Amino acid sequence: MSSNGAGGTDGREGGQETPGRQATGSLAHRVPDLGAMELLLAVARLGSLGGAARELGITQPAASSRVRSMERQLGVALVDRSPRGSRLTDAGALVTDWARRIVEAAEAFDAGAQALRDRRDSRLRVAASMTIAEYLLPGWLVALRSQLPDTAVSLLAGNSASVGERLLSGEADLGFVEGVSVPAGLDSAVIARDRLIVVTAPGHPWARRRRPLAAAELAATPLILREKGSGTRQVLDAALGGLARPLIELSSTTAVKAAAVSGAGPSVLSELAVGEELATRRLVSVPVADVALARDLRAVWPTGHRPTGPARQLLSLTRG
């Protein structure tokens, strides 16, 4: 019985597509998936639906269901089933030839994609601001090497501004910064928190203070500082609302620390960087009143391009 009314099932309005009618809609809805094609190829090769199911690691009922679904999708019978086994129909043999070419193309696609992943995974370029590069990254990279021994890692150390530039120019795959803000064009995730402390050599007058240093006095005092663009200097400048002209301006945390130890003057450094010097009294920590010198340490990457491969692996290690 058929109906010609709205919603009828005469093969022209709401039922199956009429033979010869041009197909519409997404190709994915009209062409069987690779799993179905692989099953059809196995049936053709083995002459048995059960054997094909075993080879592909599925149950025979699941294989039968997949063949029936493919036949409904294409609108033709593909396999004749009998107690003696399964054989392809004429249409099934033709579809199998087409499927073989598609599966071979998919295998070539997969091999190419694996080659791209292998090339990506063979190296990792990291850009990091100095404190992170000197005091945190070595441990993370040792752990990464134990997991990915064949990945060659290169580290570009600089200030936070240069990290952003290297990521955006494609010179680095993952970056780490310690400033008050994330460079434009980058996404980020907080991986750790750090605190800046005022330090000086034991012979400096500040080392004998009985009261905390006032923030205004710190801001007005020439300090041994990192160069402009460094995360440490950005955080300090923002916290104090401005800084005096530097006593000495140096391009690495290690150089700043060495100058402070020598007695050249006071400095502000990451707590991560001065633990040994404080423990051995080569430097003294000077308390500061009414100013917060905490900061976030962040992993960064170009906006919309979340880390993959070794970069993703390293990012996971920073949160361990």
Side-chain angles (χ1 to χ4, degrees):
M1 180 181 293
S2 64
S3 170
N4 292 324
T9 58
D10 62 352
R12 294 187 299 275
E13 297 296 330
Q16 292 186 342
E17 191 173 278
T18 303
R21 180 180 176 184
Q22 184 176 359
T24 59
S26 168
L27 188 65
H29 292 113
R30 305 196 311 272
V31 176
D33 61 33
L34 283 173
M37 293 186 195
E38 288 179 316
L39 175 61
L40 188 62
L41 291 173
V43 171
R45 186 173 66 257
L46 300 173
S48 165
L49 190 60
R54 286 191 297 274
E55 180 174 276
L56 297 178
I58 60 176
T59 65
Q60 184 163 341
S64 296
S65 176
R66 186 172 292 182
V67 168
R68 287 194 297 271
S69 177
M70 189 168 22
E71 290 174 330
R72 286 195 300 271
Q73 187 176 25
L74 296 176
V76 294
L78 301 174
V79 178
D80 280 336
R81 304 161 186 83
S82 73
R84 295 185 300 277
S86 301
R87 69 174 187 84
L88 299 179
T89 63
D90 290 343
L94 184 58
V95 169
T96 298
D97 285 339
W98 297 337
R100 184 174 292 107
R101 280 176 268 170
I102 294 172
V103 170
E104 288 172 353
E107 289 171 344
F109 180 95
D110 181 57
Q114 183 60 51
L116 289 176
R117 289 191 295 271
D118 290 343
R119 185 171 69 180
R120 176 203 66 190
D121 294 351
S122 68
R123 68 172 186 176
L124 172 62
R125 301 166 302 167
V126 181
S129 53
M130 295 302 299
T131 299
I132 298 175
E134 293 178 327
Y135 300 100
L136 292 176
L137 259 172
W140 297 338
L141 293 180
V142 168
L144 181 69
R145 183 163 183 78
S146 69
Q147 297 179 7
L148 301 174
D150 296 327
T151 298
V153 180
S154 60
L155 173 60
L156 301 167
N159 60 39
S160 293
S162 71
V163 170
E165 292 168 2
R166 282 168 169 157
L167 284 167
L168 293 174
S169 68
E171 295 178 57
D173 305 305
L174 183 66
F176 296 94
V177 297
E178 55 201 59
V180 294
S181 60
V182 177
L186 302 180
D187 288 338
S188 71
V190 175
I191 56 166
R193 287 183 168 80
D194 184 28
R195 188 169 70 96
L196 299 181
I197 58 176
V198 179
V199 293
T200 191
H204 192 277
W206 283 2
R208 298 185 293 276
R209 293 181 64 96
R210 294 182 178 272
R211 294 182 179 179
L213 185 68
E217 184 178 356
L218 178 61
T221 301
L223 302 170
I224 305 169
L225 293 175
R226 287 281 310 283
E227 78 286 0
K228 289 183 178 179
S230 76
T232 299
R233 186 158 171 176
Q234 289 174 6
V235 171
L236 184 61
D237 194 4
L240 297 178
L243 296 169
R245 183 176 179 179
L247 177 66
I248 307 174
E249 192 173 78
L250 299 167
S251 61
S252 77
T253 301
T254 299
V256 171
K257 183 168 59 173
V261 168
S262 74
S267 184
V268 179
L269 288 164
S270 164
E271 194 171 34
L272 294 169
V274 295
E276 181 180 346
E277 288 74 18
L278 294 176
T280 58
R281 293 286 298 174
R282 285 183 291 160
L283 287 176
V284 176
S285 176
V286 182
V288 183
D290 304 322
V291 62
L293 294 178
R295 62 179 178 176
D296 291 333
L297 306 182
R298 297 175 179 271
V300 289
W301 56 87
T303 299
H305 298 277
R306 190 149 184 97
T308 59
R312 180 178 180 180
Q313 192 86 349
L314 177 59
L315 180 57
S316 71
L317 289 171
T318 67
R319 298 166 171 175

